[in-house]
């Protein structure tokens, strides 16, 4: 009996691929590149990211399901006959495998799983673009939709800068658009502007050209209004690279290009063009008030605060790399481990109280090295170099190809993004990472050759029999994986409701919302933190301590947890546990003013004055560390340990700041009396007598009379 494979191979016409599935996958890809930059959800605390991540997981993994089904069914087999294509996908799979292995060292596996879903979505979308890269209709539609999304981002950002904001989530006149951060806006433009320029150059109608040109102009203006120095550097590198590659490959030299441009232009037209450029430039300078030039001038200045902050962060990250050199701390787990490695200067500069989470290291290369180790870093570098080296080698060969300009734009987008990645974290944000991997896919496909055949050969091997069963199985797997993303999103909605309720004083409603959020998704750190803090603020110290322990399991090196849980145990009078938590926190940041003062106050409660004095003195060395209450307690400890003169100076300062505070007046009166300043003590007791309630007047009157007798005697 003849085998099925022999029958299929012997036939000239084989079962066609399902065109509906191919069209569906294309449209999912279009929807993804349109929605990821634009989605916002004001109903969640992370209004700019929650919806983007949910859409990325659902759409990206759905595209992945369809792509995997095509691959398994044999529809894309011909696409992988090229050795370079096989090696490209092998490098991607190896890089992903290293990221999976790194999760073995994760402090928070749920965060690693979320980042792995992001990476999977980028790879799946990029894979489909790779297979479709020579389908001109697909590319033109994709570029048009990217241009539309870019135009919406630019127009909304410029309206915000002018003071018109339809969804007021950001600061007034801050052009963050739909991305939530000025650096994120720059990251986005570095990935999409070269592709929009391709849409402009490929446009055949005048109206289309003006449409794309207006988007490019508005986007460039918006990019400069972000004042992102890394964005400026990336844009400059990308612009120079684009011009150099295009001119060298097409014309050979810059001089020949200038001649071609000037010859058809008469003198009057040249004057008009130059005047127009000057007017636009100085109009921008006037509107921007010179801020752009001030930002550019600080790029290489080490002592500039954000530059110094980045350098200190990089130094601390290298300490983490030394402890986890091979596979890192786990993808997405930089934020959970970094507090252990922060230098004292960085603690003081960034946030001595430890309330701010440092999620990334402001350098993608160091971030990859810290989270996935030397294996992950090398696999990423080799993958990028493999694509870029082949791309530069193939430029001269493809100079006559209709896809030549797309290849140059892809190279520009990759290198511009990698340039800003030195100062930022482009590869971890969905609106920039997505377009980076799309550019990688386009450049890889156009560089590897064999671009003469369409996406799916119309002779798939066994597509008709196995395509739909495989598709159903993969879609079910995608649905199960995306349940966590959906549950996290719904949980975030309840966290937002709880936050609003607590702001309006509806604490019971807020606690109910937090409980629902925790039930839906127990790993939501924002929910765990918000619930614990609300319980503490409402003096429910025992359940608050339990809530802080739940938070501590997910984020074991978050400094404020130790401060707040220790405070709860102080209120519960469990001083030993409070002391233990304060000590662990001080190991993370020995200069934490809050923990030093809390430890000193705890020792004051237990009447261990000598040790309390040591912690107060350490706290006193940290800038802006002493509240008035802590200074008053410091004075108490000084008096208890016989440092009357130092206590007297502190109390006099407090009395000058709070002349009606009875505690300050009473302690100062006692201190003045012990120092022999009887007249000052008499005056203070008299004021206490006049300002105190009736039940305390007799006490202060007796003390005044006693001092008065001593004065006369």
């Amino acid at each position: 009996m003849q085998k099925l494979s022999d029958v299929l191979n012997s036939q000239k016409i084989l079962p066609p691929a399902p065109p509906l599935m191919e069209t569906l996958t294309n449209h999912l890809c279009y929807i993804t590149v349109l929605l990821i930059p634009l989605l916002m959800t004001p109903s969640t605390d992370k209004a700019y990211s929650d919806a983007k991540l949910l859409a990325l997981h659902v759409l990206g993994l759905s595209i992945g399901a369809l792509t995997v089904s095509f691959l398994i069914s044999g529809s894309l087999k011909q696409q992988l006959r090229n050795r370079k294509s096989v090696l490209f996908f092998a490098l991607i799979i190896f890089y992903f495998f290293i990221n999976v292995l790194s999760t073995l060292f994760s402090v928070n596996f749920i965060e690693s799983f979320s980042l792995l879903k992001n990476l999977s979505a980028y790879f799946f979308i990029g894979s489909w673009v790779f297979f479709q890269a020579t389908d001109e209709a697909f590319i033109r539609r994709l570029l048009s939709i990217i241009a539309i999304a870019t135009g919406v981002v630019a127009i909304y950002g410029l309206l915000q800068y002018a003071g018109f904001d339809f969804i007021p989530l950001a600061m007034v006149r801050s052009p963050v658009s739909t991305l939530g951060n000025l650096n994120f806006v720059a990251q986005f433009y570095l990935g999409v502007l070269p592709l929009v320029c391709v849409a402009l150059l490929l446009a055949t109608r005048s109206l289309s050209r003006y449409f794309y040109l207006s988007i490019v102009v508005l986007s460039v203006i918006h990019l400069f209004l972000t004042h992102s120095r890394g964005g400026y550097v990336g844009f400059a590198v990308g612009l120079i690279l684009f011009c150099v590659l295009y001119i060298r490959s097409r014309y050979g030299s810059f001089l020949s290009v200038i001649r071609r441009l000037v010859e058809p232009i008469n003198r009057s037209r040249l004057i008009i063009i130059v005047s127009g450029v000057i007017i636009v430039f100085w109009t921008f300078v006037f509107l921007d008030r010179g801020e752009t030039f001030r930002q550019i001038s600080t790029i290489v200045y080490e002592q500039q605060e954000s530059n110094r902050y980045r350098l200190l962060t990089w130094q601390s990250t290298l300490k983490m790399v030394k402890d986890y050199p091979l596979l890192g701390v786990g993808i997405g787990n930089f934020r959970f481990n970094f507090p252990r490695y922060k230098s004292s200067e960085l603690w003081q500069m960034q946030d001595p109280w430890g309330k701010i989470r440092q999620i990334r290291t402001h350098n993608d290369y160091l971030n990859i090295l810290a989270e996935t180790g030397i294996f992950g870093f090398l696999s990423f570098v080799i993958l990028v170099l493999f694509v870029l080296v082949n791309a530069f080698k193939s430029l001269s060969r493809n100079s006559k190809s209709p896809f030549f300009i797309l290849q140059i734009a892809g190279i520009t987008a990759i290198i511009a993004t990698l340039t800003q990645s030195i100062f930022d974290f482009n590869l971890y944000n969905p609106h920039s990472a997505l377009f980076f991997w799309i550019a990688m896919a386009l450049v890889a496909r156009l560089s590897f050759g064999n671009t003469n055949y369409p996406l799916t050969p119309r002779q798939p091997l066994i597509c008709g029999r196995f395509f739909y069963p495989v598709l159903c199985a993969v879609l079910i797997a995608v649905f199960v994986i995306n349940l966590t993303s959906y549950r996290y999103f719904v949980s975030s909605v309840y966290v937002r409701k709880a936050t609003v309720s607590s702001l309006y004083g509806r604490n019971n409603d807020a606690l109910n919302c937090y409980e629902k959020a925790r039930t839906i998704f127990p790993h939501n750190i924002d929910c765990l933190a918000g619930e614990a803090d609300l319980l503490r603020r409402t003096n429910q110290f025992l359940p608050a301590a339990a809530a802080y322990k739940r938070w501590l399991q997910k984020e074991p090196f978050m400094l404020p947890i130790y401060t707040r849980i220790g405070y709860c145990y102080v209120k519960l009078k469990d001083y030993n546990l409070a002391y233990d938590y304060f000590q662990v926190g001080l190991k993370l940041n020995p200069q934490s003013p809050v923990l030093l003062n809390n430890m000193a106050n705890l020792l004051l409660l237990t009447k261990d004055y000598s040790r309390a004095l040591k912690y107060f003195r350490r706290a006193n060395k940290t800038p802006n560390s002493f509240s008035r209450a802590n200074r008053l307690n410091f004075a108490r400890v000084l008096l208890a340990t016989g440092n009357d003169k130092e206590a007297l100076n502190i109390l006099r300062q407090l009395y000058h700041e709070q002349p009606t505070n009875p505690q300050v007046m009473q302690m100062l009166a006692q201190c003045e009396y012990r120092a022999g300043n009887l007249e000052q003590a008499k005056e203070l007791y008299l004021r206490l007598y006049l300002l105190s309630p009736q039940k305390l007047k007799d006490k202060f009157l007796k003390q005044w009379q006693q001092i008065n007798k001593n004065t006369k005697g």
Side-chain angles (χ1 to χ4, degrees), residues 34-328:
L34 178 65
L35 292 185
I36 295 303
L38 302 182
L39 281 179
M40 294 190 298
T41 49
S43 59
T44 65
D45 278 341
K46 297 177 182 176
Y48 294 102
S49 61
D50 284 343
K52 289 180 175 63
L53 291 174
L54 180 63
L56 177 69
H57 295 163
V58 172
L59 295 171
L61 295 182
S62 298
I63 292 170
L66 290 160
T67 305
V68 169
S69 303
F70 274 112
L71 284 168
I72 294 176
S73 65
S75 300
L76 303 177
K77 185 176 181 180
Q78 188 174 343
Q79 304 285 54
L80 297 177
R81 287 181 179 174
N82 186 300
R83 290 182 180 178
K84 291 181 179 178
S85 299
V86 173
L87 184 55
F88 173 65
F89 279 99
L91 288 171
I92 287 177
I93 292 169
F94 181 73
Y95 176 57
F96 184 78
F97 176 70
I98 294 297
N99 278 272
V100 173
L101 275 184
S102 73
T103 61
L104 296 174
F105 302 96
S106 295
V107 172
N108 189 313
F109 176 76
I110 297 299
E111 188 69 19
S112 293
F113 183 60
S114 178
L115 266 290
L116 286 174
K117 285 193 290 184
N118 292 0
L119 205 57
S120 302
Y122 302 144
F123 290 162
F124 284 137
I125 295 167
S127 298
W128 186 255
V129 171
F130 177 90
F131 293 128
Q132 286 282 49
T134 54
D135 184 343
E136 188 173 349
F138 172 81
I139 292 298
R140 285 184 179 275
R141 291 193 193 101
L142 185 69
L143 294 176
S144 298
I145 291 168
I146 291 173
I148 291 169
T150 305
V152 173
V153 171
I155 292 169
Y156 185 33
L158 293 175
L159 286 173
Q160 286 177 321
Y161 187 78
F164 301 100
D165 196 349
F166 309 108
I167 310 173
L169 295 172
M171 294 174 61
V172 178
R173 299 180 67 86
S174 179
V176 298
S177 192
T178 58
L179 303 175
N181 184 287
L182 295 175
N183 286 328
F184 294 175
V185 173
Q187 293 173 10
F188 169 71
Y189 282 135
L190 294 185
V192 298
L193 265 176
L195 302 179
V196 179
C197 289
V198 174
L200 169 63
L201 295 171
L202 294 180
T204 55
R205 298 179 181 178
S206 298
L207 185 61
S208 299
R209 290 197 198 101
Y210 288 126
F211 173 71
Y212 293 130
L213 180 60
S214 63
I215 291 174
V216 171
V217 172
L218 292 174
S219 300
V220 171
I221 293 173
H222 189 199
L223 171 62
F224 276 91
L225 290 175
T226 63
H227 302 144
S228 169
R229 294 167 302 159
Y232 294 160
V233 175
F235 178 75
V237 170
L239 182 62
I240 294 169
L241 181 68
F242 186 90
C243 294
V244 169
L245 291 179
Y246 186 79
I247 291 169
R248 289 290 300 273
S249 300
R250 278 289 171 92
Y251 303 106
S253 70
F254 288 91
L255 187 60
S256 61
V257 174
I258 293 171
R259 286 173 180 167
R260 291 191 182 195
L261 289 173
V262 175
E263 282 173 2
I265 300 177
N266 57 38
R267 192 170 297 173
S268 60
R269 288 184 180 179
L270 185 62
I271 292 171
I272 292 172
I273 292 172
V274 172
S275 302
V277 171
I278 292 173
I279 291 169
V280 170
F281 176 76
W282 283 108
T283 302
F284 172 76
V285 171
F286 174 75
L287 290 174
D288 191 49
R289 301 177 182 87
E291 183 62 30
T292 297
F293 295 105
R294 283 193 292 272
Q295 291 290 335
I296 292 173
S297 67
T298 64
I299 288 176
V300 295
Y301 183 47
E302 180 184 344
Q303 295 306 316
Q304 201 269 348
E305 185 176 355
S306 63
N307 291 355
R308 184 65 183 162
Y309 160 70
R310 280 172 166 78
L311 288 172
L312 291 171
T313 301
W314 299 343
Q315 291 171 4
S316 300
T317 303
L318 288 173
K319 295 177 185 177
M320 186 191 302
V321 173
K322 288 180 181 178
D323 284 353
Y324 298 90
L326 297 181
L327 291 172

Side-chain angles (χ1 to χ4, degrees), residues 453-474:
Y453 50 83
L455 159 71
T456 47
R458 298 304 174 183
Q459 299 89 13
L461 298 180
I462 48 175
C463 184
R465 177 169 297 221
F466 290 106
F467 180 82
Y468 289 107
V470 169
L471 175 62
C472 291
V474 177

Side-chain angles (χ1 to χ4, degrees), residues 606-633:
T606 58
K607 298 183 179 180
D608 191 345
Y609 299 118
S610 59
R611 293 174 66 199
L613 180 60
K614 292 179 182 178
Y615 282 102
F616 272 130
R617 290 200 185 283
R618 284 174 60 186
N620 196 29
K621 293 178 182 178
T622 58
N624 303 319
S625 62
F626 267 8
S627 66
R628 286 169 180 167
N630 287 326
R631 285 159 65 197
L632 188 62
N633 286 338

